Every structure is written in structure tokens, then in C-alpha cells.
């Protein structure tokens, strides 16, 4: 047996606001950041568990403190016990009777739990010598269902429902694993569409995206209707009729405003409208979905937990479910969400980009394809070609697809130099004379 | 003009878990705590703004750091500008483009914003020489409506709707103020009903509550159906048929479980079922409300923001709205919630107890009666007789009512000795040899 000997946290920030990368209608100047942790053991096998919460700058220190507040649950604990019952470990963290008050199951504390859970999965996958998607895909249906906490889900998904879904997919696992290795998993790109980019840069990057094999691009909208119409038309002219164009309002609108605005963009054949309003507004999204049909509504990167996704599926609030690797409480809760989506027959197109989200979330989509939904029609993972060099096993995206990682782990490990160089506020990138924290404020 | 010269934070914890005060089905061992701040200025008038987030122990340090993450928005700023446009100040804090990622508008960060907003209101009321409820009740309808951010609300409540509600109430303000001073505002008590209490203690405290003039008591339920039936019956026998008995499950159940459980308690004439399931489950609460009717469903102490309350009102999820002074983003957002409740004709019975929640929330109910809903029929504020001695202006509750505070401010200021004595982990109460942090874990 071995025990967890250290849970170290890091406040890592990249000065991305200097380039307007990642700018949208609600986030004009993000400094992409990660509240990061490393779990160490005394096993002597060299394996560590790495995990993180993605943030966009200020407040990253709050997430780091939130991770520290969870340390007492795992520090000094038996590694094999924690990793051997990941469903139980998840409940240990989520149901802390005092920390629960700070959510419950939402926001800073829930994201911190996600980072810890994901770091434990990273450690478990490294110990197994498998990439996370393979580790999950080799579990029995009973083991998979045991990872999920069905509290608050049973009116939409019971353990028996979940077991039925995973069992139905079981016979085809080997064939779909082979297809995944041969074909990859579809990707789309947001790289051309940031709001801060000029029309020329938009056109150039959109054409590059098509040349790179992507079948869909995404544009940020919501700040100016006139600009949006021009930019969507410009992009449509640049890519032609066969490439899908999705738009993303980043929560900018109220319900009727979303419906009215989208009527102006509809002529340009919109693949989906993403985050039209508050991520909390289940009923508002449902009203928007009715109002903009047949354009699908997509949301999820800010949806706080499985209870909200459950309702969005029940109410018809979304037609594209965008799960996020670092918003909910980690791999376990995302498996609950994948099972909910499968139950309701809704396609999952994960949110990615940011810092390490591509590296992390690909494992979930690939696992879903092999062992849960058994489907990749109309499904794709977001891709932004940004900051991958900071990861030990960066994503392999080419020919418009993610290609399955083979390295053991969950993809969440940053290179050592990044942890040192981008530490805030004392790393060399942020030290005196370097980029200010908030260059535009 | 004057400027804000300091925003000091404190981690204050009370070792309440040693007494089982506050124990319920989800919170077996709370250490009631406050992440607390004091705003100081250079005005030389001696006035400070005090505010807090209530928590139940672990994680209080996370809230304190979250409050610190907001300091840059107000430190060094012109006091008169900030206090003169509290609607604008609220948006400044809530719409921070980077901090917003940590919610948005929920959990640790949103509660921290609430503490800062409430501290500014405390300062504003002290400067005006008025208790907060009086300060708010003297504002013009236009000034009141300008405090509210209508983003994400306009499908249920427009600024015009809000103005209409407040204008309708305006002519009767003076008469209702007089009534409030003469009659007080109704209270109910949760003191008898904590889950950790013996039946004998329950009976004794229930009878004391009736003798003290309370017309309603509340019992915690949800851990054991057999125990709940016995405890509710015992309480009913103790207080007789004329006293209302509400029950509170503290989010323990799934949807069908709530409906089934309540069928067993219904024979004892239940005033409401509180928090039957996840506070995030708008649709679940609506299903429960249909399933347990005519017993009303009450919720709100964990409802994260105005967008969730909006939906709960739209969907018929609650018949009793329990706003909380320290969960959402402070006075401004609670005014939005009061306006929503008035629009939908739903009664508001605030959550209180904890640390300072009674002191803070009474101002909102009294303001609501004078200037918004103009109604106190069936409305009452929760009361728990606990920890009030730590406040400079503790609530005045007698004869089953809250009596309007006359001291300037928002009621949120703790006595200096408490800030020193209960600071965690270095205050004398928590220093070596004192109560351990988590006595039961």
C-alpha cells in the first residue's frame, strides 16, 4: 500500500489578454490561467496526479485556496483505497458537510473538487499505464455506473437506466475503438472567430481552418448586431456553403433579445447558437430553442453541474450539450452527464480551448464513443490552437480530427518549466517589468 | 469627498458543532462562521461598513480570500461615487470580466460580492443615520428600480413592471411604516427542531416557543422517516392544532422520494416543506409542488441568484420564497428577488439563523412591507435564538415578532471582542487546547 504524501497547488497565469486571444462579448481581456495541483505518493513509482481548474485570470488564487481546502480529504490517505473506489472518493469530496455550504455543487468549490478528482484520475490512469479514455473504456458496465452519484438524477436517469445504456454499447466497444484509432474524433475550431480580431484576420484564419480539414468554425457574436451580420457574412463568403458556421454569444442576451438577434443571422446557415443567455436559465434556453428553431441551441461550458444538465435535457433547452472538463466535479460527474445525454439522445460537443481543456476533454468524448453513446455523428470537440506547448502530452489534432492519445494519464500534466515560469505573481513572466495583471483596466 | 482606505477581512468561526445546534439531515456538525469584512474611509466620521458571508465552518477561509479578490474594485475609490450609485457599484462587482468565470453569479464568488455590497449598504445607512430598512423605504420608486440589474430577468420582470409595483405601493408607505412600528413583523422559530435534539428537548423548546408568542415552529426532517413521523407527531401533540409546523429536509431527497415521504407527514398539518431536493432543481421542485399539494413548497436559502428564483416563480416551483441575506449578491439582488416575488404574488419568508442572518434579513422584509409587496399576510421571518450577542445591534424579537431596528446601519456589525476572540485559527477560542476544528470527523 502507499499513501498520498503531498497535494501541492500552483497559481499559473498566461498573459493572453495582450493578444486578444480568447476575447468575446463577455470576456474582453482574459488572462488564461490554471489553478493547478500535483498529488504525490510514497509509492516510489514516479507517478503523480495532475489536475487543474481553468480560469481567465483574477480569482485564480481563490481557486487555488479552494483546492487547498480539500487537501485534508486525501492527504495521508491510502492511495489504493481512494483510486479503487472513485465513486466513493467523489462523494467524500462533494458531500463534505461544511464545504457543501459554499455551493452546493457549484462555482469555485465545485470546480476545485473537479480538479482534485481529475488529478486522482490522472494518477490512476498513469498507474494503469493507460490513457484515461482507454482506462474508462475497459471498465465493466457495473464499474462505470458505480462512478456516478445518482442523487437528484433519479427522476430522469436511474442506475438501471445507466446500466442499460452502457450494457447496450458493450458488444461494439472493440470495433469502435478500432474506428477511433483509424479515423480520429471530429474537431471544429474557434481560432478564427474571436471578437477582437479584424475581418482580414477572420478571413485568413477561416480559410486556414478549412485548409486544415475542419468542417466547422465558430464565431463570437453578441456585442454589435451590425458587426455580427457583417462578420458572419464575411466568414460565410470565405468558407463557402459546405463548411458549418456556429456562433457563440457567451451569455450576452436576454430571452427575446436572443431570438430577435438570431433572426438576423439565420440567413447565413448557422450550425448552432451557443450560450445565448445565462447558463442558469433552463426555461430561458428552452424558450430560445423554440424561438430560433431549427437552429440548435448549444450550451454547457458554464453549466454548473449534472442537476442543471438534467433539467436542460428535460426541458428541451439544448440540442447540443457542451460538457467541460474543468467546470463540474471532474470525470465522474461528466460521466453522469454523458449518460444523461445518451438517455435523452442529445449529441455532445465538448467545450475546449482555454488552458488544457482540449487535452482533458478528448478523453471523455472518446470514452463516450467507445462505451456510452456509441455515436459520433454530428459530434465534435472544440479546438483552439493555443497554449498546447505547455502540456507534457499536447493534443494531436490534424486533418480536422483529434487523434487518440496513447500516453498514460488524463492529459492534464503541464511541463515543469511552465509551472515555474508562469507562476503568479512571482514567476519570471509576471515579475516586475513584465505584463501587468490587467493591461486594459 | 472621501476615499476607501481599507478593506479588512476576518475569518470568524464559532464552535457550534459541540452543541449540535444547527444540525440537520445534510449538515450534521456545522461550526457557524462568517467571512467578514470591514470597509474604512478617510471621512473622519467614524463610520465603517461591515458585511459578511455566513458559512458553516471549513471553507470560510476560501470566502475570505474571495472577498479579498474584490478589494481592487473599491479600495482607493471615491466613497460618495460608489454609495451614490449602488446599482452601478453592484454591476462593477458582478460583471468583473475575469472573476465572472468563477461563477458566473453563484457560489463562493457571488456570496463574497454579496458581503461587499452589504458592507457598502451598511456604510451608506450609517452615513444617512438610518437603519437600512428606513433608508431603502425612503427612496423614490425610480431610485429603487435603479438598484436592480434586469439582465436575464426581462422575460419575467421588466424595469417598467418593477416601477409599477413600487409606485403602486408608494401612497401607503407611511401607514405601513406606522403599522410596522406598532405591530412588528411576524417571526417563526426553528430553535426547537434541530435534528440532533432529543424528543424531550424538542417538546420543551416547542412549548417555550408557543409561550414566547411564535405562531409557527419548524422541524428538520429527512434522515429517518420513522423518526420524522414520531417527531412531527410529538411536536403536534406538544403545541396543539393552532400552531403551524413547517418541516425542512435540507435538500435530502430526490423528486419522488420527497413526494412519498411527505405523504407520511401530511396528516400532521404541515405548514410547508422546505428544501425537499437540490436547490438547483427548478423542474424537480415544480414536480414536488404538484405532488405534495396543498402543502406549499418553500426554498431559497441555497438558491444562488435571481435567475434561479425567476425560473422557480415561472415554473411554480415554490409557494414560499425564502430569500437569504448572505447567499446572493447582497441587498441589490435581494431587491430584484422581492420585486420578482411581488410580480408573481408569492409570499416571502426569509431564511435566517446562522450568524447574523436574522440581523441582516429583517431589513429586507421590513422594506418589502413598506415599499414593495405592501403585504405581510402569511409572511414571517425565521428566528433562531443563537449568537445574537456577537452583534452590536442584535435583533429585537419578542411576542413572536421582529421589532424594527432603529440603529443606523444594516445590522451586520459584530462587536470588536468577537472579531478578536473567534478569529480562526489564531483567536483564543481556537488556539491550542480549544475546540478542534471538526470534533466529529
Amino acid at each position: 500500500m502507499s499513501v498520498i504524501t503531498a497535494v501541492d497547488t500552483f497559481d499559473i497565469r498566461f498573459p493572453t489578454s495582450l493578444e486578444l486571444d480568447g476575447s468575446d462579448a463577455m470576456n474582453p481581456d482574459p488572462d488564461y490561467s490554471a489553478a493547478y495541483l500535483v498529488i504525490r505518493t510514497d509509492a516510489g513509482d514516479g507517478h503523480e496526479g495532475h489536475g487543474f481548474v481553468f480560469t481567465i485570470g483574477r480569482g485564480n488564487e481563490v481557486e487555488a485556496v479552494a483546492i487547498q481546502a480539500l487537501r485534508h480529504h486525501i492527504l495521508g490517505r491510502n492511495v489504493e483505497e481512494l483510486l479503487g473506489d472513485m465513486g466513493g472518493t467523489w462523494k467524500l469530496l462533494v458531500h463534505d458537510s461544511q464545504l457543501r455550504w459554499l455551493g452546493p455543487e457549484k462555482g469555485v468549490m465545485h470546480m476545485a473538487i473537479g480538479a482534485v478528482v481529475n488529478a486522482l484520475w490522472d494518477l490512476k490512469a498513469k498507474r494503469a499505464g493507460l490513457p484515461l479514455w482507454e482506462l474508462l473504456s475497459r471498465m465493466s458496465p457495473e464499474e462505470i455506473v458505480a462512478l456516478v452519484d445518482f442523487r437528484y438524477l433519479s427522476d430522469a436517469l436511474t442506475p438501471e437506466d445507466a446500466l442499460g445504456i452502457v450494457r447496450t454499447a458493450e458488444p461494439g466497444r472493440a470495433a469502435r475503438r478500432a474506428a477511433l484509432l483509424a479515423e480520429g474524433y471530429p474537431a471544429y475550431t474557434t481560432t478564427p472567430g474571436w471578437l477582437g480580431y479584424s475581418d482580414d484576420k477572420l478571413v485568413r484564419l477561416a480559410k486556414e481552418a478549412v485548409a486544415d480539414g475542419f468542417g466547422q468554425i465558430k464565431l463570437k457574436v453578441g456585442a454589435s448586431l451590425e458587426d455580427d451580420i457583417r462578420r458572419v457574412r464575411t466568414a460565410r463568403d470565405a468558407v463557402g456553403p459546405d463548411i458549418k458556421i456556429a456562433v457563440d454569444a457567451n451569455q450576452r442576451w436576454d430571452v427575446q433579445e436572443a431570438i430577435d438577434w438570431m433572426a438576423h443571422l439565420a440567413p447565413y446557415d448557422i450550425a448552432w447558437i451557443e450560450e445565448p443567455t445565462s447558463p442558469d436559465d433552463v426555461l430561458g434556453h428552452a424558450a430560445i430553442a423554440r424561438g430560433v428553431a431549427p437552429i440548435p441551441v448549444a450550451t454547457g461550458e458554464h453549466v454548473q453541474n449534472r442537476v442543471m444538465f438534467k433539467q436542460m435535457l428535460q426541458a428541451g433547452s439544448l440540442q447540443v450539450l457542451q460538457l467541460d472538463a474543468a467546470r463540474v466535479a471532474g470525470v465522474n460527474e461528466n460521466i453522469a452527464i454523458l449518460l444523461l445525454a445518451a438517455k435523452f439522445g442529445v449529441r455532445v460537443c465538448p467545450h475546449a480551448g482555454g488552458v488544457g481543456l482540449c487535452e482533458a476533454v478528448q478523453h471523455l468524448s472518446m470514452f463516450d464513443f467507445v462505451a456510452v453513446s456509441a455515436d459520433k455523428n454530428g459530434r465534435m470537440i472544440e479546438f483552439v490552437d493555443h497554449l498546447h506547448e505547455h502540456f507534457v502530452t499536447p493534443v494531436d489534432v490534424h486533418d480536422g480530427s483529434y487523434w487518440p492519445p496513447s500516453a498514460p494519464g488524463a492529459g492534464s500534466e503541464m511541463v515543469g518549466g511552465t509551472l515555474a515560469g508562469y507562476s503568479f505573481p512571482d514567476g519570471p513572466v509576471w515579475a516586475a517589468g513584465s505584463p501587468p495583471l490587467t493591461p486594459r483596466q
Side-chain angles (χ1 to χ4, degrees), chain A:
Chain A
M1 87 157 236
S2 51
V3 302
I4 292 179
T5 54
V7 180
D8 296 328
T9 59
F10 302 83
D11 180 349
I12 305 298
R13 307 192 192 191
F14 303 93
T16 50
S17 62
L18 297 177
E19 302 293 334
L20 285 185
D21 296 326
S23 57
D24 63 49
M26 295 292 269
N27 309 299
D29 58 350
D31 285 322
Y32 281 5
S33 303
Y36 192 91
L37 80 153
V38 180
I39 296 173
R40 297 186 169 87
T41 77
D42 64 1
D45 56 8
H47 294 314
E48 300 170 343
H50 292 239
F52 60 85
V53 179
F54 169 58
T55 82
I56 60 173
R58 284 187 295 279
N60 203 50
E61 77 281 12
V62 181
E63 279 294 351
V65 172
I67 293 171
Q68 290 164 14
L70 294 160
R71 278 195 297 208
H72 68 284
H73 283 300
I74 60 170
L75 199 59
R77 290 285 309 272
N78 180 310
V79 183
E80 291 75 24
E81 274 182 23
L82 287 174
L83 299 184
D85 176 17
M86 283 298 287
T89 299
W90 190 88
K91 289 180 185 171
L92 178 78
L93 292 162
V94 174
H95 296 178
D96 180 307
S97 68
Q98 294 185 356
L99 292 177
R100 194 176 180 282
W101 191 269
L102 303 182
E105 303 194 34
K106 60 181 65 74
V108 165
M109 211 62 237
H110 206 55
M111 292 192 278
I113 291 170
V116 174
V117 167
N118 287 347
L120 290 168
W121 277 105
D122 184 52
L123 179 60
K124 184 177 169 91
K126 286 171 177 167
R127 285 183 152 215
L130 293 170
L132 177 62
W133 70 271
E134 281 260 40
L135 174 69
L136 294 171
S137 300
R138 291 185 185 188
M139 286 180 153
S140 72
E142 291 75 13
E143 287 171 330
I144 291 169
V145 172
L147 298 173
V148 172
D149 184 355
F150 287 88
R151 174 171 277 186
Y152 305 142
L153 295 186
S154 65
D155 54 324
L157 180 79
T158 64
E160 295 69 33
D161 294 337
L163 202 55
I165 291 166
V166 189
R167 280 186 178 151
T168 301
E170 198 177 12
R173 284 189 188 182
R176 285 190 301 275
R177 178 179 181 278
L180 191 62
L181 293 170
E183 303 161 5
Y185 197 101
Y188 76 93
T189 179
T190 309
T191 298
W194 300 110
L195 213 55
Y197 288 179
S198 69
D199 286 7
D200 284 351
K201 190 169 182 179
L202 163 62
V203 168
R204 176 169 57 79
L205 293 174
K207 288 185 171 176
E208 283 179 21
V210 175
D212 288 344
F214 293 103
Q216 176 173 315
I217 64 172
K218 191 167 78 185
L219 269 59
K220 300 292 182 175
V221 298
S224 151
L225 178 58
E226 190 184 346
D227 286 353
D228 286 351
I229 294 170
R230 190 193 71 253
R231 292 172 66 251
V232 170
R233 189 178 60 227
T234 301
R236 175 58 71 206
D237 289 347
V239 301
D242 298 333
I243 299 295
K244 291 187 168 72
I245 300 177
V247 297
D248 182 356
N250 290 89
Q251 313 167 25
R252 182 64 178 243
W253 301 318
D254 277 26
V255 172
Q256 190 57 47
E257 192 179 12
I259 295 168
D260 295 343
W261 198 294
M262 286 308 298
H264 292 279
L265 303 184
Y268 303 99
D269 189 12
I270 302 300
W272 70 58
I273 168 59
E274 178 170 330
E275 287 206 305
T277 190
S278 164
D280 302 343
D281 202 344
V282 172
L283 301 178
H285 276 85
I288 292 168
R290 292 189 297 271
V292 304
I295 298 173
V297 169
T299 195
E301 73 181 84
H302 279 88
V303 174
Q304 66 208 31
N305 59 34
R306 71 202 181 285
V307 179
M308 296 301 288
F309 278 115
K310 176 190 76 170
Q311 294 175 82
M312 288 186 159
L313 291 163
Q314 288 172 320
S317 307
L318 54 77
Q319 290 71 50
V320 179
L321 191 154
Q322 301 181 297
L323 62 75
D324 182 289
R327 173 69 56 183
V328 302
V331 168
N332 297 60
E333 187 159 16
N334 270 322
I335 292 174
I337 295 163
L338 290 170
L339 287 163
L340 281 164
K343 170 82 186 285
F344 283 85
V346 165
R347 62 188 164 120
V348 176
C349 297
H351 171 248
V355 176
L357 298 179
C358 300
E359 279 71 15
V361 87
Q362 60 178 337
H363 292 274
L364 297 170
S365 279
M366 292 175 188
F367 159 66
D368 175 70
F369 174 59
V370 174
V372 181
S373 76
D375 187 16
K376 56 187 171 87
N377 286 321
R379 294 167 187 246
M380 58 199 108
I381 307 168
E382 186 168 18
F383 176 65
V384 185
D385 192 6
H386 198 202
L387 302 175
H388 301 290
E389 67 276 18
H390 297 287
F391 287 82
V392 172
T393 55
V395 288
D396 177 16
V397 174
H398 61 82
D399 296 314
S401 289
Y402 278 75
W403 296 87
S406 57
S412 45
E413 183 171 346
M414 285 190 185
V415 299
T418 294
L419 292 186
Y422 291 84
S423 276
F424 184 86
D426 297 323
V429 170
W430 293 105
S434 292
L437 172 55
T438 56
R440 281 184 193 75
Q441 287 217 338

